[in-house]
Amino acid sequence: MPKPVIVAHYHELWLKGRNRRFFTRKLATALRQSLQGIPVEAIEQPGHRFLIRFCEGASVEAAIERIGRVFGVVNFAVARPVERDIDALCAAAWDEVEPLRFSSFAVRAKRSDKTFAHGVMEIESKVGRYLLDKLRAEGRSVRVSLDDPEMTCRIEITPGPALVYARKIPGAGGLPPKTGGRMMCLLSGGYDSAVAAYQMMKRGAYLSFVHFYGTGGMPGESSIHVARGLARRLTLYQFAAKLYRVPFEAIQREIVSLAPEKFRILLYRRMMMRIAEQLARRSHALALVTGDSLGQVASQTLQNMVAVGDAVRMPVFRPLAGTDKQEIVSLARQIGTYDISSEPFHECCPAFMPRMPALYSKPKQLEAAEAALDVGALVHQGVKAAICERFRYTDGQVEDVSAEEAGAKVSAAASSQ
Ligand code: ATP
Ligand code: MG
């Protein structure tokens, strides 16, 4: 059994100037981390791609699943290791190409080991000719297209066996993890904020999460288990994450008793933003992320989003502002958060829902509505009560590491709440 090899490609667009080493190093680290537990012999970088050489017996299926989640990889392929000989290359290329359906193709060779007797052009034209003859002999109407081929059969002459591959597996795309700075995502348990988190991670952001929960009537009825499930799932893409959980019912009650009813939801949101901003500062995060989508519900009109965002100085990113619900739900299915968000949970916001929520509020109105509240004290209360849980990716799985209260370790009783 030859040792399996996977070739991972990245977009060269983000490889501008001095950034190049930074991004490719982060990508190499992410590949290594994602494959932890699968025996890898070496990760090489001959030119603009990674060659991941596995030890004998490594599970290729598991590796495919994991590499498929690494942001920054645009596509990848399992390569056939082949003897360095033109006839062997032709035969392997045919095995690769025969099951694929396409109308135009090209053969592309790269030679990082110059000791191979044949040049790149010669390999390309010999293997190309061989494939064309075989395809035509099978009655398939195909042509060679060097400019815009539907299928590309690639040959890499590296030290050791040559590599042949044609079947591209789409990668997760985006930019490598931890290249875009830190942000704090308000994670509700619903579909939207989990997808929003994914979108920002895909652009290289490194996220922490904050979840506000009310208490359900029954033990275990709150929404914490859902937020935890989502944070755990999302950790697959960035390998570690913190989730702050903040009890919110006492703050809500204060708003209900002291502020005008029609602004309640917006005032809950403003308090969430402020508490999130404080926790973000502690985590050295520079921006907040929410799952808001323009016009989806009353609190997400443009005016209301602006009036809510006005409570904090930190920029608020809303990556789903222009995304339809159907698209959000289909993304949630793809990234594996849909089933977690579908679990029943006790959402804190619908409690004490106003009958007629304000649709177009202004920051000044919300400030006036908050006049009777001690905003600073409520924010402090929320931040102080926050419990931080940590998640870590090990061997393809995410495990819970610990829970801490306001920076200090707490007893198992508090963390198992
Ligand atoms: P989601 O599907 O993320 O719940 P949504 O469309 O249901 O979003 P809302 O429930 O109005 O919208 O919330 C808007 C955003 O506010 C959420 O996407 C999330 O970022 C934040 N948010 C709302 N409730 C909570 C919560 N309990 N904890 C943390 N963040 C929250
Ligand atoms: Mg919601």
Side-chain angles (χ1 to χ4, degrees), residues 353-395:
M353 192 76 141
R355 275 156 303 188
M356 294 276 282
L359 287 178
Y360 307 105
S361 60
K362 296 202 170 71
K364 284 265 172 293
Q365 288 175 298
L366 299 187
E367 278 162 29
E370 281 168 344
L373 299 168
D374 186 343
V375 170
L378 290 175
V379 172
H380 183 69
Q381 177 184 327
V383 171
K384 228 179 113 208
I387 302 252
C388 175
E389 296 186 25
R390 288 165 198 275
F391 299 91
R392 188 174 56 205
Y393 174 99
T394 332
D395 289 358

Side-chain angles (χ1 to χ4, degrees), residues 188-193 269 345 347:
S188 68
Y191 300 110
D192 305 334
S193 40
R269 292 275 182 276
F345 64 92
E347 246 192 273

Side-chain angles (χ1 to χ4, degrees), residues 5 140 156 158 167 172 228 239 255 268-269 279 341-342 414:
V5 178
R140 289 169 62 174
E156 309 237 356
T158 59
R167 205 179 331 217
R228 195 180 277 140
F239 310 118
I255 292 171
Y268 298 164
R269 292 275 182 276
L279 295 171
S341 289
S342 301

Side-chain angles (χ1 to χ4, degrees), residues 10 26 37 40 50 54 69 96 98 205 214-215 221 319 371 387:
Y10 43 86
K26 292 278 191 190
V40 172
F50 285 97
F54 292 90
R69 284 195 300 255
E96 241 340 79
E98 194 197 356
T215 38
E221 207 192 354
I387 302 252

Side-chain angles (χ1 to χ4, degrees), residues 163-414:
L163 301 173
V164 177
Y165 57 95
R167 205 179 331 217
K168 263 195 221 163
I169 306 170
L175 300 178
K178 302 188 193 179
T179 53
R182 288 172 188 259
M183 302 181 193
M184 174 67 74
C185 176
L186 287 88
L187 189 66
S188 68
Y191 300 110
D192 305 334
S193 40
V195 172
Y198 177 86
Q199 299 284 66
M200 296 316 297
M201 287 193 289
K202 183 170 176 177
R203 295 303 304 164
Y206 184 60
L207 298 187
S208 296
F209 303 102
V210 53
H211 175 69
F212 299 88
Y213 65 96
T215 38
M218 307 289 282
E221 207 192 354
S222 83
S223 49
I224 294 172
H225 61 291
V226 175
R228 195 180 277 140
L230 290 173
R232 200 179 282 133
R233 176 78 208 173
L234 292 164
T235 302
L236 286 174
Y237 300 93
Q238 61 172 29
F239 310 118
K242 285 191 282 191
L243 166 67
Y244 292 93
R245 53 182 154 95
V246 180
F248 201 57
E249 194 178 311
I251 297 173
Q252 280 181 286
R253 286 193 185 280
E254 195 76 3
I255 292 171
V256 168
S257 64
L258 294 175
E261 183 180 328
K262 64 177 180 174
F263 293 130
R264 264 179 208 169
I265 298 276
L266 303 176
L267 300 191
Y268 298 164
R269 292 275 182 276
R270 278 164 68 96
M271 290 308 299
M272 288 183 184
M273 291 275 189
R274 291 184 180 111
I275 295 167
E277 183 183 45
Q278 296 285 326
L279 295 171
R281 291 222 168 92
R282 290 189 179 192
S283 304
H284 308 288
L286 296 180
L288 302 177
V289 178
T290 74
D292 293 308
S293 172
L294 184 61
Q296 195 185 84
V297 289
S299 58
Q300 294 172 16
T301 61
L302 174 61
Q303 289 79 354
N304 281 348
M305 284 198 285
V306 170
V308 167
D310 196 66
V312 288
R313 292 201 53 197
M314 225 173 234
V316 181
F317 293 137
R318 299 175 178 85
L320 304 181
T323 314
D324 279 354
K325 192 74 185 181
Q326 289 98 310
E327 295 171 57
I328 297 172
V329 164
S330 108
L331 250 171
R333 286 185 201 278
Q334 278 175 42
I335 65 174
T337 57
Y338 182 87
D339 289 342
I340 306 170
S341 289
S342 301
E343 281 173 40
F345 64 92
H346 173 93
E347 246 192 273
C348 66
C349 290
F352 328 113
M353 192 76 141
R355 275 156 303 188
M356 294 276 282
L359 287 178
Y360 307 105
S361 60
K362 296 202 170 71
K364 284 265 172 293
Q365 288 175 298
L366 299 187
E367 278 162 29
E370 281 168 344
L373 299 168
D374 186 343
V375 170
L378 290 175
V379 172
H380 183 69
Q381 177 184 327
V383 171
K384 228 179 113 208
I387 302 252
C388 175
E389 296 186 25
R390 288 165 198 275
F391 299 91
R392 188 174 56 205
Y393 174 99
T394 332
D395 289 358
Q397 308 256 323
V398 176
E399 56 183 33
D400 303 22
V401 185
S402 66
E404 296 170 10
E405 191 177 358
K409 294 256 180 217
V410 287
S411 66

